[in-house]
Amino acid sequence: PIYETSRHTILGGEKYKSKDYSEAVECYNKAIELDNKNLRALFYRAMCFIALEKFKNTITDLSNVIDLEPQFFQAYFYRANARAQLQTFSEIKAAILDYSVVVQNNDSDGVCYFLRGYCYLLLQNDNLAFKDWAIAKNLGVATANEENWKTDY
């Protein structure tokens, strides 16, 4: 089983790299059937789901990754992105929590501050949005310009 799990995970990786996301998902499915704690297969299947715009599946897989490895902060980041894509109040609030976990562990992640700011804006909390965008701008995220967002909003 270990050989088969590795084989399916590696094949999934090859399909992922060639942007054949549906085929990659099938390979990762087989790997996960053999080992449901295969972090690599769960994470990359979630990345495929993002590319396929299957955000609920993404959230499920990344939640499983986080349950298995709570310090895997990249999983929080991508889960937040998927949650924000669903555009519901509860998922946007959950995205803010996930982005917050990331910035608490890496306060120099300007992109994360920027995206969390966008979520705050979606919840009509302009003050927190502009605060995060100011941090993002100070960290070098060039598009975090409050004036640009005021006209788009």
Side-chain angles (χ1 to χ4, degrees), residues 92-106:
I92 292 168
K93 284 186 75 168
I96 289 170
L97 294 175
D98 280 347
Y99 287 132
S100 296
V101 168
V102 177
V103 298
Q104 286 168 0
N105 288 281
N106 179 6

Side-chain angles (χ1 to χ4, degrees), residues 10-21 23-25 27:
I10 291 167
L11 185 57
E14 291 170 3
K15 298 291 184 184
Y16 176 80
K17 287 177 189 170
S18 66
K19 298 185 181 185
D20 189 353
Y21 301 118
E23 285 295 317
V25 166
C27 295

